[in-house]
Amino acid sequence: QMNRGFVFVHGRIVGMEPQQEQQPIEILFTTTHLESFVPNYPTPGRTYDGVEQRESQMKQMTTFCDTYLSKHRNIVAAFVTGDLNWDDERPRSKGVDKTLLDLLNGGDGGIGRVKETNKKQGSSIRSNSHHPWIDAWKINQGKKSEGYTYDSKINPMLRGNLRRRFDRILIRENCYDSEEKQESASSTASSYASSSSLRIKSTNMFGM
């Protein structure tokens, strides 16, 4: 309902260490701002939580990523980043949103379930449990701090006492394999080994 969208980049990245010869890798990088909370809407005293819209928008993003990865099997991983407004980590309750990784990876009967192998196209796909969506903060910093990205206790510009980790970086390795992926690796490396630039394509994908 807020006409939210996302932008994606299909890029090739080359290692930055000049003394090391590294093959370039391809990634799918997306960024977005999902449906927000709105106090006193639609009537005074009520809060619009946007739960249904956020889940629908996240479903569209991850479905897009999965479809894109299946068509571009040289891509190593997909990234979903941005202000997701996802509220599933309250200290004393579960929050209004479903647990994000459970939703994405099928733990809640969710939207991350992987389709069967498409043998006609010569592709094979592993179980989603082998290549689930992961949360970069939880992997790297999760045990050290809460990682709040909205913290009214330390930011004087914010009112109230709200503290949440609304912003996320989610990563999923490409679970599609094909003979084409291995055959093209050497040609891709020779074409881009001397370049650190990204080839960029972007678009606004959905409006709610």
Side-chain angles (χ1 to χ4, degrees):
Q1 295 181 359
M2 295 182 178
N3 295 317
R4 298 297 167 89
F6 73 88
V7 174
F8 76 90
V9 173
H10 177 176
R12 292 182 174 90
I13 301 177
V14 177
M16 301 302 293
E17 297 296 331
Q19 70 274 17
Q20 298 178 357
E21 292 187 5
Q22 299 178 350
Q23 291 186 349
I25 62 172
E26 296 186 34
I27 64 168
L28 174 64
F29 187 92
T30 71
T31 188
T32 189
H33 183 189
L34 299 187
E35 200 83 355
S36 300
F37 298 80
V38 182
N40 296 314
Y41 179 85
T43 59
R46 294 181 60 186
T47 297
Y48 170 73
D49 60 21
V51 170
E52 182 179 348
Q53 288 72 25
R54 278 195 298 280
E55 185 171 330
S56 176
Q57 291 162 0
M58 180 59 70
K59 181 176 181 178
Q60 289 187 48
M61 287 195 71
T62 54
T63 298
F64 166 80
C65 288
D66 188 58
T67 301
Y68 200 91
L69 291 177
S70 71
K71 294 180 179 179
H72 302 271
R73 299 172 195 140
N74 289 329
I75 293 177
V76 173
F79 295 76
V80 171
T81 71
D83 182 356
L84 305 187
N85 279 310
W86 211 268
D87 182 11
D88 62 346
E89 294 181 341
R90 298 186 187 186
R92 297 180 179 85
S93 66
K94 295 182 179 180
V96 298
D97 292 296
K98 296 177 182 178
T99 302
L100 183 55
L101 293 183
D102 284 348
L103 180 68
L104 298 183
N105 295 322
D108 193 22
I111 58 184
R113 292 184 180 272
V114 174
K115 297 181 179 179
E116 296 295 329
T117 300
N118 187 342
K119 295 182 179 179
K120 292 183 179 180
Q121 295 183 359
S123 66
S124 62
I125 182 168
R126 303 185 186 95
S127 167
N128 202 28
S129 62
H130 292 101
H131 293 274
W133 286 97
I134 62 174
D135 187 317
W137 176 265
K138 287 187 174 182
I139 295 296
N140 291 286
Q141 302 290 334
K143 295 182 179 180
K144 297 180 181 179
S145 71
E146 295 86 354
Y148 296 133
T149 60
Y150 186 105
D151 193 339
S152 59
K153 289 190 176 182
I154 64 174
N155 187 342
M157 297 180 65
L158 302 175
R159 298 179 180 179
N161 57 3
L162 184 63
R163 310 177 83 190
R164 294 288 188 273
R165 193 169 68 96
F166 287 139
D167 302 80
R168 310 283 175 96
I169 298 176
L170 307 175
I171 307 168
R172 183 184 175 193
E173 292 183 51
N174 195 348
C175 51
Y176 290 88
D177 283 333
S178 71
E179 293 180 358
E180 301 164 7
K181 189 173 184 179
Q182 296 182 357
E183 290 173 357
S184 63
S186 59
S187 61
T188 302
S190 61
S191 299
Y192 295 94
S194 60
S195 172
S196 60
S197 62
L198 295 178
R199 292 193 171 186
I200 298 174
K201 296 184 289 183
S202 63
T203 185
N204 188 340
M205 290 304 299
F206 59 64
M208 288 297 179

